[in-house]
Amino acid sequence: MKIIRKTNIQKAICLLTLSTLALGAKNTVEIPSASDLGVKDFQAQLSIGLNEQTGRLEKGTINKTKIKIQAELEMNDFVSFHGRGGIKYETGSTQSVFNERRNTPDSNVIYDYAFVRTNLFANTVKLDFGSLDNNPEKMGSFIQTGITSVGVQENFKYESKYFDIELNAIQSKPQNDELSNRIESVEQGSPKFFYEYIKADLKLNRIKLHATYGQYAYDDLSNSVAFQEQFMGNSIVQGDEATSRFIYKYKGTQFLLGASFKLSEFITLLPSYEAVENNNAPSSQNMATNQQLIIQTSILDTFVELHFNNFKNERDVTPTFYMSSPFTANTEGSGAKVVVEYNGFETSFGHINRKEVKEVVDLKFSDDEKVYFIEIRKNYDFI
């Protein structure tokens, strides 16, 4: 009897345990993963940097701290959202002969882009709506570089093993909130920016070649932007913020050539050449060129890039207000940069030496300058 009773007790305990587990499994709520929610990319970047500028008209040092978030959200098989932005905090001091040129520290919310993308025909056609990503890889060094524009972008790309071809068109409204905040001005009017290009890539074993032909146009640029341009190099009829205007229209062509030569498993050379011409300005002030050589190498777990530039940007190629580039109007010179990536950290440092292309009587704000910079970035990938 004792043995039977003990066995019955054991059976009861087993049944109770199984019932508890079954009840717990039934009430468990599964937490969906980021990929289940459509999050394809989610990254954060923390950067700390220092810029020092020296010249006859202006001297200054600015310390920068930035936190940026980059995300891609897939809404369904055809529609996705892409965004990148964050906050920045700057400290430092500047001295300038003209207050209008003063590059004062500025702290605010920043955004690089935020747009909705529609993918059609097996992702060969893309339609973007919103604040577009005008990165230098796509735009080059002189046209709307690094500054978002609000509008529409159409893109077609055909890819094969040895050959790619891409067609792209942008219709948008240019803007530069960062510069507007820094100089405490308001962009007035409804400026328009148009840009189209065709790009071809040839892919061989250790060699890649690419060529791009583009056309650009700015229209209805405001008087307030023209007023600011007298401090940045473009030709304007000087007045106040209500009466200043550009002398020339901005409509022209762009040509880029580039290559990638993989010399070994450790060294790759990337030479490139860019030329931009404004068809509506005189021949003595309508051309910009940039020759660049990038050397990539890997040493153990460290990736290193060496950048060398030679540039010339005449006075009236593009409106400088809508650029985020050191190659400002009416300047020429050279630059060098070193980028080192190791253990999730990226460090870049270098200098730019620029001088006036030529002395212009009414361009009293132009100056020969040297810029030195260093920045340390840490990327966090959450997907």
Side-chain angles (χ1 to χ4, degrees), residues 79-300:
V79 181
S80 58
F81 170 80
H82 304 252
R84 186 173 69 197
I87 58 174
K88 72 171 181 176
Y89 176 71
E90 295 182 347
T91 60
S93 62
T94 59
Q95 298 177 348
S96 179
V97 175
F98 303 101
N99 285 331
E100 296 86 354
R101 275 183 54 97
R102 190 184 301 276
N103 190 23
T104 56
D106 180 44
S107 301
N108 54 44
V109 176
I110 55 176
Y111 70 93
D112 296 329
Y113 56 83
F115 60 87
V116 174
R117 169 169 291 173
T118 302
N119 297 287
L120 303 172
F121 305 108
N123 291 333
T124 58
V125 175
K126 297 180 175 66
L127 303 178
D128 297 342
F129 307 88
S131 297
L132 305 176
D133 180 14
N134 296 333
N135 63 78
E137 274 189 26
K138 179 177 70 177
M139 311 298 291
S141 303
F142 304 102
I143 303 174
Q144 197 68 26
T145 304
I147 300 296
T148 187
S149 55
V150 179
V152 182
Q153 177 175 234
E154 305 89 25
N155 181 274
F156 166 82
K157 189 171 185 179
Y158 170 78
E159 297 179 291
S160 65
K161 183 176 181 180
Y162 298 106
F163 183 76
D164 298 344
I165 188 165
E166 180 180 0
L167 303 174
N168 196 86
I170 293 174
Q171 307 87 42
S172 64
K173 177 180 177 179
Q175 59 185 51
N176 192 343
D177 289 338
E178 183 171 346
L179 185 56
S180 296
N181 292 331
R182 189 183 294 278
I183 61 181
E184 298 181 350
S185 73
V186 178
E187 294 180 62
Q188 299 172 345
S190 297
K192 301 175 182 64
F193 170 63
F194 305 94
Y195 180 57
E196 306 88 33
Y197 70 77
I198 179 170
K199 179 182 179 183
D201 296 283
L202 180 63
K203 302 176 291 185
L204 304 177
N205 187 22
R206 289 180 171 267
I207 299 175
K208 296 179 182 179
L209 306 174
H210 64 261
T212 302
Y213 174 78
Q215 296 182 333
Y216 70 95
Y218 290 87
D219 198 11
D220 295 334
L221 295 176
S222 68
N223 302 100
S224 60
V225 170
F227 175 76
Q228 297 299 335
E229 285 290 3
Q230 67 180 301
F231 315 117
M232 301 178 189
N234 295 130
S235 297
I236 68 162
V237 176
Q238 294 186 8
D240 56 25
E241 291 201 31
T243 59
S244 297
R245 61 181 176 85
F246 289 93
I247 295 177
Y248 306 110
K249 299 288 187 180
Y250 294 97
K251 184 178 181 180
T253 57
Q254 176 192 48
F255 186 62
L256 296 100
L257 280 176
S260 172
F261 301 101
K262 192 172 181 63
L263 303 183
S264 69
E265 294 300 318
F266 306 102
I267 298 178
T268 302
L269 301 182
L270 295 94
S272 63
Y273 173 80
E274 178 184 4
V276 179
E277 182 178 6
N278 181 9
N279 299 328
N280 292 321
S283 58
S284 60
Q285 54 197 73
N286 71 336
M287 180 68 72
T289 58
N290 181 33
Q291 301 93 38
Q292 179 175 255
L293 174 63
I294 300 176
I295 303 173
Q296 296 178 340
T297 184
S298 296
I299 305 172
L300 297 178

Side-chain angles (χ1 to χ4, degrees), residues 37-67:
L37 295 173
V39 181
K40 310 300 291 184
D41 180 35
F42 190 80
Q43 300 179 39
Q45 182 187 85
L46 171 65
S47 64
I48 301 173
L50 172 69
N51 279 39
E52 182 173 331
Q53 181 175 330
T54 61
R56 179 176 55 88
L57 298 179
E58 185 174 6
K59 298 178 181 179
T61 301
I62 294 180
N63 304 290
K64 303 179 180 182
T65 300
K66 294 181 182 180
I67 299 175

Side-chain angles (χ1 to χ4, degrees), residues 54-59 97 356 364-369:
T54 61
R56 179 176 55 88
L57 298 179
E58 185 174 6
K59 298 178 181 179
V97 175
E356 292 180 272
K364 62 181 179 180
F365 302 102
S366 187
D367 189 16
D368 296 348
E369 296 175 325

